[in-house]
Amino acid sequence: MPLYMDHHKNVEGLTADAVADAHQKDLEVQDKHGAKALKYWFNEEKGEVFCLFDAPSAEAAEAVHREGHGLMADEIVEVKEGS
Amino acid sequence: MPLYMDHHKNVEGLTADAVADAHQKDLEVQDKHGAKALKYWFNEEKGEVFCLFDAPSAEAAEAVHREGHGLMADEIVEVKEGS
């Protein structure tokens, strides 16, 4: 399954708890979309989040965020992981 | 040590081999800057690369790229990793 990295910018009111909660919601709905939210990295002050997904398509990864919490990334790109 | 994610965009002529080579050069110079290039993800068609670093500062992470190969990221942000 392809890997995708998304990048959320300027997320207002981002806190570690809020992003953990959003990630938890992703986990709860991801099976329906055949996707797996693998990891995320965030910066509270800047309101940035990077999410790494295993997903059948970018649309499937986006659907997880849409259904989980509605906080959509500014961009998403298919990636390969360097070894 | 803080974690940093950087994002390179529109890298011309990016190939898996070229990015692996650049990463290898990061590894060769990183000790001098007290940094550790942990992982990277890339997209050849779009010329994008995300690099995850352990580094004492953003400047130290940037110095690794500058000295290793000169390919500087468009942005770099301190991040925490979600659990």
Side-chain angles (χ1 to χ4, degrees), chain A residues 26-55:
Chain A
D26 286 338
L27 300 182
E28 288 166 12
V29 303
Q30 65 185 10
D31 288 355
K32 224 182 292 184
H33 303 284
K36 200 165 158 54
L38 299 171
K39 288 201 173 210
Y40 65 92
W41 298 267
F42 64 98
N43 180 302
E44 294 180 83
E45 290 76 26
K46 296 194 173 175
E48 293 203 33
V49 189
F50 299 87
C51 303
L52 186 66
F53 280 95
D54 248 342

PDB file of all heavy atoms in Angstrom, chain A residues 26-55:
ATOM      1  N   ASP A  26      -9.021   9.523  13.942  1.00  0.00           N
ATOM      2  CA  ASP A  26      -8.561   8.909  12.684  1.00  0.00           C
ATOM      3  C   ASP A  26      -8.517   7.384  12.836  1.00  0.00           C
ATOM      4  O   ASP A  26      -8.967   6.646  11.951  1.00  0.00           O
ATOM      5  CB  ASP A  26      -7.152   9.396  12.325  1.00  0.00           C
ATOM      6  CG  ASP A  26      -7.111  10.825  11.816  1.00  0.00           C
ATOM      7  OD1 ASP A  26      -8.144  11.326  11.331  1.00  0.00           O
ATOM      8  OD2 ASP A  26      -6.036  11.448  11.902  1.00  0.00           O
ATOM      9  N   LEU A  27      -7.955   6.948  13.953  1.00  0.00           N
ATOM     10  CA  LEU A  27      -7.805   5.500  14.165  1.00  0.00           C
ATOM     11  C   LEU A  27      -9.161   4.802  14.205  1.00  0.00           C
ATOM     12  O   LEU A  27      -9.307   3.666  13.757  1.00  0.00           O
ATOM     13  CB  LEU A  27      -7.052   5.224  15.479  1.00  0.00           C
ATOM     14  CG  LEU A  27      -5.627   5.792  15.586  1.00  0.00           C
ATOM     15  CD1 LEU A  27      -5.009   5.398  16.926  1.00  0.00           C
ATOM     16  CD2 LEU A  27      -4.741   5.334  14.440  1.00  0.00           C
ATOM     17  N   GLU A  28     -10.149   5.525  14.727  1.00  0.00           N
ATOM     18  CA  GLU A  28     -11.478   4.914  14.875  1.00  0.00           C
ATOM     19  C   GLU A  28     -12.208   4.738  13.541  1.00  0.00           C
ATOM     20  O   GLU A  28     -13.077   3.884  13.432  1.00  0.00           O
ATOM     21  CB  GLU A  28     -12.329   5.759  15.842  1.00  0.00           C
ATOM     22  CG  GLU A  28     -11.841   5.611  17.281  1.00  0.00           C
ATOM     23  CD  GLU A  28     -12.419   6.679  18.217  1.00  0.00           C
ATOM     24  OE1 GLU A  28     -13.368   7.398  17.814  1.00  0.00           O
ATOM     25  OE2 GLU A  28     -11.897   6.803  19.345  1.00  0.00           O
ATOM     26  N   VAL A  29     -11.887   5.565  12.560  1.00  0.00           N
ATOM     27  CA  VAL A  29     -12.614   5.489  11.280  1.00  0.00           C
ATOM     28  C   VAL A  29     -11.769   4.938  10.129  1.00  0.00           C
ATOM     29  O   VAL A  29     -12.275   4.714   9.028  1.00  0.00           O
ATOM     30  CB  VAL A  29     -13.186   6.871  10.860  1.00  0.00           C
ATOM     31  CG1 VAL A  29     -14.102   7.435  11.946  1.00  0.00           C
ATOM     32  CG2 VAL A  29     -12.075   7.862  10.535  1.00  0.00           C
ATOM     33  N   GLN A  30     -10.476   4.734  10.358  1.00  0.00           N
ATOM     34  CA  GLN A  30      -9.587   4.427   9.241  1.00  0.00           C
ATOM     35  C   GLN A  30      -9.885   3.093   8.538  1.00  0.00           C
ATOM     36  O   GLN A  30      -9.685   2.988   7.322  1.00  0.00           O
ATOM     37  CB  GLN A  30      -8.129   4.473   9.694  1.00  0.00           C
ATOM     38  CG  GLN A  30      -7.752   3.410  10.701  1.00  0.00           C
ATOM     39  CD  GLN A  30      -6.319   3.588  11.201  1.00  0.00           C
ATOM     40  OE1 GLN A  30      -5.664   4.588  10.941  1.00  0.00           O
ATOM     41  NE2 GLN A  30      -5.829   2.597  11.931  1.00  0.00           N
ATOM     42  N   ASP A  31     -10.366   2.109   9.290  1.00  0.00           N
ATOM     43  CA  ASP A  31     -10.590   0.788   8.676  1.00  0.00           C
ATOM     44  C   ASP A  31     -11.602   0.863   7.541  1.00  0.00           C
ATOM     45  O   ASP A  31     -11.482   0.154   6.541  1.00  0.00           O
ATOM     46  CB  ASP A  31     -11.078  -0.224   9.720  1.00  0.00           C
ATOM     47  CG  ASP A  31      -9.968  -0.621  10.683  1.00  0.00           C
ATOM     48  OD1 ASP A  31      -8.818  -0.179  10.479  1.00  0.00           O
ATOM     49  OD2 ASP A  31     -10.249  -1.358  11.644  1.00  0.00           O
ATOM     50  N   LYS A  32     -12.557   1.734   7.715  1.00  0.00           N
ATOM     51  CA  LYS A  32     -13.598   1.908   6.701  1.00  0.00           C
ATOM     52  C   LYS A  32     -13.008   2.369   5.364  1.00  0.00           C
ATOM     53  O   LYS A  32     -13.588   2.149   4.307  1.00  0.00           O
ATOM     54  CB  LYS A  32     -14.558   2.988   7.215  1.00  0.00           C
ATOM     55  CG  LYS A  32     -16.007   2.680   7.041  1.00  0.00           C
ATOM     56  CD  LYS A  32     -16.853   3.848   7.538  1.00  0.00           C
ATOM     57  CE  LYS A  32     -16.754   4.014   9.054  1.00  0.00           C
ATOM     58  NZ  LYS A  32     -17.661   5.105   9.504  1.00  0.00           N
ATOM     59  N   HIS A  33     -11.860   3.019   5.437  1.00  0.00           N
ATOM     60  CA  HIS A  33     -11.226   3.565   4.238  1.00  0.00           C
ATOM     61  C   HIS A  33      -9.975   2.770   3.831  1.00  0.00           C
ATOM     62  O   HIS A  33      -9.234   3.191   2.941  1.00  0.00           O
ATOM     63  CB  HIS A  33     -10.883   5.042   4.466  1.00  0.00           C
ATOM     64  CG  HIS A  33     -12.090   5.848   4.835  1.00  0.00           C
ATOM     65  ND1 HIS A  33     -13.043   6.232   3.911  1.00  0.00           N
ATOM     66  CD2 HIS A  33     -12.550   6.280   6.036  1.00  0.00           C
ATOM     67  CE1 HIS A  33     -14.010   6.894   4.536  1.00  0.00           C
ATOM     68  NE2 HIS A  33     -13.731   6.941   5.820  1.00  0.00           N
ATOM     69  N   GLY A  34      -9.754   1.672   4.514  1.00  0.00           N
ATOM     70  CA  GLY A  34      -8.617   0.821   4.178  1.00  0.00           C
ATOM     71  C   GLY A  34      -7.281   1.494   4.436  1.00  0.00           C
ATOM     72  O   GLY A  34      -6.268   1.154   3.826  1.00  0.00           O
ATOM     73  N   ALA A  35      -7.286   2.474   5.356  1.00  0.00           N
ATOM     74  CA  ALA A  35      -6.084   3.273   5.595  1.00  0.00           C
ATOM     75  C   ALA A  35      -5.562   3.046   7.006  1.00  0.00           C
ATOM     76  O   ALA A  35      -6.278   2.511   7.871  1.00  0.00           O
ATOM     77  CB  ALA A  35      -6.401   4.751   5.393  1.00  0.00           C
ATOM     78  N   LYS A  36      -4.325   3.471   7.215  1.00  0.00           N
ATOM     79  CA  LYS A  36      -3.710   3.325   8.539  1.00  0.00           C
ATOM     80  C   LYS A  36      -2.885   4.577   8.824  1.00  0.00           C
ATOM     81  O   LYS A  36      -1.905   4.858   8.115  1.00  0.00           O
ATOM     82  CB  LYS A  36      -2.814   2.083   8.533  1.00  0.00           C
ATOM     83  CG  LYS A  36      -2.497   1.538   9.904  1.00  0.00           C
ATOM     84  CD  LYS A  36      -1.930   0.126   9.785  1.00  0.00           C
ATOM     85  CE  LYS A  36      -1.123  -0.272  11.008  1.00  0.00           C
ATOM     86  NZ  LYS A  36      -1.828  -0.131  12.295  1.00  0.00           N
ATOM     87  N   ALA A  37      -3.321   5.333   9.825  1.00  0.00           N
ATOM     88  CA  ALA A  37      -2.565   6.518  10.244  1.00  0.00           C
ATOM     89  C   ALA A  37      -1.391   6.015  11.083  1.00  0.00           C
ATOM     90  O   ALA A  37      -1.586   5.492  12.185  1.00  0.00           O
ATOM     91  CB  ALA A  37      -3.454   7.455  11.057  1.00  0.00           C
ATOM     92  N   LEU A  38      -0.170   6.153  10.558  1.00  0.00           N
ATOM     93  CA  LEU A  38       0.987   5.501  11.175  1.00  0.00           C
ATOM     94  C   LEU A  38       1.632   6.340  12.273  1.00  0.00           C
ATOM     95  O   LEU A  38       1.941   5.836  13.348  1.00  0.00           O
ATOM     96  CB  LEU A  38       2.039   5.196  10.115  1.00  0.00           C
ATOM     97  CG  LEU A  38       1.604   4.264   8.993  1.00  0.00           C
ATOM     98  CD1 LEU A  38       2.664   4.233   7.901  1.00  0.00           C
ATOM     99  CD2 LEU A  38       1.347   2.862   9.525  1.00  0.00           C
ATOM    100  N   LYS A  39       1.871   7.596  11.960  1.00  0.00           N
ATOM    101  CA  LYS A  39       2.582   8.471  12.899  1.00  0.00           C
ATOM    102  C   LYS A  39       2.197   9.903  12.611  1.00  0.00           C
ATOM    103  O   LYS A  39       1.738  10.218  11.506  1.00  0.00           O
ATOM    104  CB  LYS A  39       4.100   8.386  12.675  1.00  0.00           C
ATOM    105  CG  LYS A  39       4.710   7.115  13.132  1.00  0.00           C
ATOM    106  CD  LYS A  39       6.211   7.299  13.356  1.00  0.00           C
ATOM    107  CE  LYS A  39       6.768   6.039  13.987  1.00  0.00           C
ATOM    108  NZ  LYS A  39       7.906   6.320  14.831  1.00  0.00           N
ATOM    109  N   TYR A  40       2.460  10.766  13.567  1.00  0.00           N
ATOM    110  CA  TYR A  40       2.310  12.188  13.288  1.00  0.00           C
ATOM    111  C   TYR A  40       3.325  12.968  14.105  1.00  0.00           C
ATOM    112  O   TYR A  40       3.830  12.483  15.130  1.00  0.00           O
ATOM    113  CB  TYR A  40       0.880  12.665  13.563  1.00  0.00           C
ATOM    114  CG  TYR A  40       0.439  12.598  15.003  1.00  0.00           C
ATOM    115  CD1 TYR A  40       0.605  13.697  15.851  1.00  0.00           C
ATOM    116  CD2 TYR A  40      -0.139  11.460  15.524  1.00  0.00           C
ATOM    117  CE1 TYR A  40       0.190  13.649  17.173  1.00  0.00           C
ATOM    118  CE2 TYR A  40      -0.547  11.397  16.853  1.00  0.00           C
ATOM    119  CZ  TYR A  40      -0.377  12.483  17.671  1.00  0.00           C
ATOM    120  OH  TYR A  40      -0.762  12.423  18.981  1.00  0.00           O
ATOM    121  N   TRP A  41       3.608  14.150  13.614  1.00  0.00           N
ATOM    122  CA  TRP A  41       4.538  15.065  14.266  1.00  0.00           C
ATOM    123  C   TRP A  41       3.870  16.435  14.258  1.00  0.00           C
ATOM    124  O   TRP A  41       3.201  16.789  13.278  1.00  0.00           O
ATOM    125  CB  TRP A  41       5.861  15.141  13.491  1.00  0.00           C
ATOM    126  CG  TRP A  41       6.587  13.856  13.414  1.00  0.00           C
ATOM    127  CD1 TRP A  41       7.555  13.398  14.261  1.00  0.00           C
ATOM    128  CD2 TRP A  41       6.433  12.825  12.422  1.00  0.00           C
ATOM    129  NE1 TRP A  41       7.997  12.167  13.854  1.00  0.00           N
ATOM    130  CE2 TRP A  41       7.326  11.793  12.733  1.00  0.00           C
ATOM    131  CE3 TRP A  41       5.606  12.680  11.294  1.00  0.00           C
ATOM    132  CZ2 TRP A  41       7.429  10.627  11.969  1.00  0.00           C
ATOM    133  CZ3 TRP A  41       5.704  11.521  10.525  1.00  0.00           C
ATOM    134  CH2 TRP A  41       6.614  10.510  10.871  1.00  0.00           C
ATOM    135  N   PHE A  42       4.066  17.197  15.299  1.00  0.00           N
ATOM    136  CA  PHE A  42       3.336  18.470  15.373  1.00  0.00           C
ATOM    137  C   PHE A  42       4.150  19.539  16.082  1.00  0.00           C
ATOM    138  O   PHE A  42       5.085  19.238  16.831  1.00  0.00           O
ATOM    139  CB  PHE A  42       1.999  18.272  16.103  1.00  0.00           C
ATOM    140  CG  PHE A  42       2.153  17.869  17.547  1.00  0.00           C
ATOM    141  CD1 PHE A  42       2.063  18.823  18.563  1.00  0.00           C
ATOM    142  CD2 PHE A  42       2.422  16.553  17.892  1.00  0.00           C
ATOM    143  CE1 PHE A  42       2.234  18.452  19.896  1.00  0.00           C
ATOM    144  CE2 PHE A  42       2.597  16.178  19.220  1.00  0.00           C
ATOM    145  CZ  PHE A  42       2.497  17.134  20.214  1.00  0.00           C
ATOM    146  N   ASN A  43       3.748  20.783  15.826  1.00  0.00           N
ATOM    147  CA  ASN A  43       4.320  21.938  16.503  1.00  0.00           C
ATOM    148  C   ASN A  43       3.159  22.789  16.996  1.00  0.00           C
ATOM    149  O   ASN A  43       2.378  23.302  16.188  1.00  0.00           O
ATOM    150  CB  ASN A  43       5.209  22.731  15.535  1.00  0.00           C
ATOM    151  CG  ASN A  43       5.824  23.954  16.205  1.00  0.00           C
ATOM    152  OD1 ASN A  43       5.107  24.812  16.717  1.00  0.00           O
ATOM    153  ND2 ASN A  43       7.136  24.053  16.211  1.00  0.00           N
ATOM    154  N   GLU A  44       3.031  22.884  18.302  1.00  0.00           N
ATOM    155  CA  GLU A  44       1.891  23.587  18.892  1.00  0.00           C
ATOM    156  C   GLU A  44       1.916  25.080  18.585  1.00  0.00           C
ATOM    157  O   GLU A  44       0.884  25.662  18.280  1.00  0.00           O
ATOM    158  CB  GLU A  44       1.879  23.390  20.415  1.00  0.00           C
ATOM    159  CG  GLU A  44       1.617  21.961  20.842  1.00  0.00           C
ATOM    160  CD  GLU A  44       1.605  21.788  22.358  1.00  0.00           C
ATOM    161  OE1 GLU A  44       0.558  22.043  22.972  1.00  0.00           O
ATOM    162  OE2 GLU A  44       2.651  21.407  22.919  1.00  0.00           O
ATOM    163  N   GLU A  45       3.091  25.701  18.714  1.00  0.00           N
ATOM    164  CA  GLU A  45       3.168  27.156  18.530  1.00  0.00           C
ATOM    165  C   GLU A  45       2.829  27.541  17.088  1.00  0.00           C
ATOM    166  O   GLU A  45       2.135  28.523  16.848  1.00  0.00           O
ATOM    167  CB  GLU A  45       4.567  27.680  18.867  1.00  0.00           C
ATOM    168  CG  GLU A  45       4.920  27.619  20.348  1.00  0.00           C
ATOM    169  CD  GLU A  45       5.273  26.201  20.808  1.00  0.00           C
ATOM    170  OE1 GLU A  45       5.723  25.393  19.971  1.00  0.00           O
ATOM    171  OE2 GLU A  45       5.068  25.879  21.991  1.00  0.00           O
ATOM    172  N   LYS A  46       3.341  26.760  16.140  1.00  0.00           N
ATOM    173  CA  LYS A  46       3.123  27.103  14.731  1.00  0.00           C
ATOM    174  C   LYS A  46       1.850  26.493  14.174  1.00  0.00           C
ATOM    175  O   LYS A  46       1.471  26.786  13.027  1.00  0.00           O
ATOM    176  CB  LYS A  46       4.329  26.652  13.901  1.00  0.00           C
ATOM    177  CG  LYS A  46       5.606  27.378  14.292  1.00  0.00           C
ATOM    178  CD  LYS A  46       6.708  27.186  13.271  1.00  0.00           C
ATOM    179  CE  LYS A  46       7.903  28.063  13.631  1.00  0.00           C
ATOM    180  NZ  LYS A  46       9.050  27.839  12.757  1.00  0.00           N
ATOM    181  N   GLY A  47       1.213  25.602  14.916  1.00  0.00           N
ATOM    182  CA  GLY A  47      -0.007  24.979  14.413  1.00  0.00           C
ATOM    183  C   GLY A  47       0.243  24.095  13.199  1.00  0.00           C
ATOM    184  O   GLY A  47      -0.550  24.078  12.260  1.00  0.00           O
ATOM    185  N   GLU A  48       1.347  23.378  13.218  1.00  0.00           N
ATOM    186  CA  GLU A  48       1.658  22.490  12.086  1.00  0.00           C
ATOM    187  C   GLU A  48       1.568  21.029  12.508  1.00  0.00           C
ATOM    188  O   GLU A  48       1.939  20.679  13.633  1.00  0.00           O
ATOM    189  CB  GLU A  48       3.075  22.759  11.557  1.00  0.00           C
ATOM    190  CG  GLU A  48       3.193  24.129  10.928  1.00  0.00           C
ATOM    191  CD  GLU A  48       4.353  24.217   9.928  1.00  0.00           C
ATOM    192  OE1 GLU A  48       4.673  23.230   9.263  1.00  0.00           O
ATOM    193  OE2 GLU A  48       4.926  25.312   9.843  1.00  0.00           O
ATOM    194  N   VAL A  49       1.091  20.216  11.573  1.00  0.00           N
ATOM    195  CA  VAL A  49       1.040  18.770  11.802  1.00  0.00           C
ATOM    196  C   VAL A  49       1.452  18.064  10.505  1.00  0.00           C
ATOM    197  O   VAL A  49       1.019  18.461   9.416  1.00  0.00           O
ATOM    198  CB  VAL A  49      -0.371  18.284  12.203  1.00  0.00           C
ATOM    199  CG1 VAL A  49      -0.323  16.818  12.645  1.00  0.00           C
ATOM    200  CG2 VAL A  49      -0.981  19.141  13.294  1.00  0.00           C
ATOM    201  N   PHE A  50       2.272  17.050  10.644  1.00  0.00           N
ATOM    202  CA  PHE A  50       2.614  16.136   9.551  1.00  0.00           C
ATOM    203  C   PHE A  50       2.035  14.773   9.933  1.00  0.00           C
ATOM    204  O   PHE A  50       2.281  14.297  11.049  1.00  0.00           O
ATOM    205  CB  PHE A  50       4.129  15.972   9.411  1.00  0.00           C
ATOM    206  CG  PHE A  50       4.875  17.234   9.093  1.00  0.00           C
ATOM    207  CD1 PHE A  50       5.310  18.076  10.109  1.00  0.00           C
ATOM    208  CD2 PHE A  50       5.148  17.582   7.778  1.00  0.00           C
ATOM    209  CE1 PHE A  50       6.008  19.238   9.824  1.00  0.00           C
ATOM    210  CE2 PHE A  50       5.844  18.743   7.478  1.00  0.00           C
ATOM    211  CZ  PHE A  50       6.272  19.574   8.499  1.00  0.00           C
ATOM    212  N   CYS A  51       1.295  14.160   9.020  1.00  0.00           N
ATOM    213  CA  CYS A  51       0.739  12.827   9.293  1.00  0.00           C
ATOM    214  C   CYS A  51       1.237  11.860   8.225  1.00  0.00           C
ATOM    215  O   CYS A  51       1.177  12.160   7.034  1.00  0.00           O
ATOM    216  CB  CYS A  51      -0.786  12.830   9.223  1.00  0.00           C
ATOM    217  SG  CYS A  51      -1.585  13.985  10.326  1.00  0.00           S
ATOM    218  N   LEU A  52       1.664  10.709   8.670  1.00  0.00           N
ATOM    219  CA  LEU A  52       2.119   9.656   7.765  1.00  0.00           C
ATOM    220  C   LEU A  52       1.071   8.544   7.741  1.00  0.00           C
ATOM    221  O   LEU A  52       0.680   8.031   8.804  1.00  0.00           O
ATOM    222  CB  LEU A  52       3.453   9.109   8.262  1.00  0.00           C
ATOM    223  CG  LEU A  52       4.164   8.099   7.360  1.00  0.00           C
ATOM    224  CD1 LEU A  52       4.618   8.748   6.046  1.00  0.00           C
ATOM    225  CD2 LEU A  52       5.372   7.503   8.093  1.00  0.00           C
ATOM    226  N   PHE A  53       0.612   8.239   6.545  1.00  0.00           N
ATOM    227  CA  PHE A  53      -0.446   7.240   6.353  1.00  0.00           C
ATOM    228  C   PHE A  53       0.010   6.115   5.430  1.00  0.00           C
ATOM    229  O   PHE A  53       0.696   6.373   4.428  1.00  0.00           O
ATOM    230  CB  PHE A  53      -1.618   7.862   5.572  1.00  0.00           C
ATOM    231  CG  PHE A  53      -2.563   8.694   6.352  1.00  0.00           C
ATOM    232  CD1 PHE A  53      -2.405  10.071   6.400  1.00  0.00           C
ATOM    233  CD2 PHE A  53      -3.635   8.121   6.995  1.00  0.00           C
ATOM    234  CE1 PHE A  53      -3.312  10.867   7.093  1.00  0.00           C
ATOM    235  CE2 PHE A  53      -4.540   8.897   7.688  1.00  0.00           C
ATOM    236  CZ  PHE A  53      -4.379  10.275   7.739  1.00  0.00           C
ATOM    237  N   ASP A  54      -0.444   4.933   5.689  1.00  0.00           N
ATOM    238  CA  ASP A  54      -0.527   3.867   4.697  1.00  0.00           C
ATOM    239  C   ASP A  54      -1.956   3.953   4.172  1.00  0.00           C
ATOM    240  O   ASP A  54      -2.899   3.884   4.973  1.00  0.00           O
ATOM    241  CB  ASP A  54      -0.394   2.504   5.390  1.00  0.00           C
ATOM    242  CG  ASP A  54       0.880   1.784   5.061  1.00  0.00           C
ATOM    243  OD1 ASP A  54       1.534   2.129   4.054  1.00  0.00           O
ATOM    244  OD2 ASP A  54       1.224   0.872   5.817  1.00  0.00           O
ATOM    245  N   ALA A  55      -2.131   4.088   2.884  1.00  0.00           N
ATOM    246  CA  ALA A  55      -3.501   4.212   2.370  1.00  0.00           C
ATOM    247  C   ALA A  55      -3.537   3.777   0.915  1.00  0.00           C
ATOM    248  O   ALA A  55      -2.529   3.881   0.201  1.00  0.00           O
ATOM    249  CB  ALA A  55      -3.994   5.651   2.497  1.00  0.00           C
TER     250      ALA A  55
END
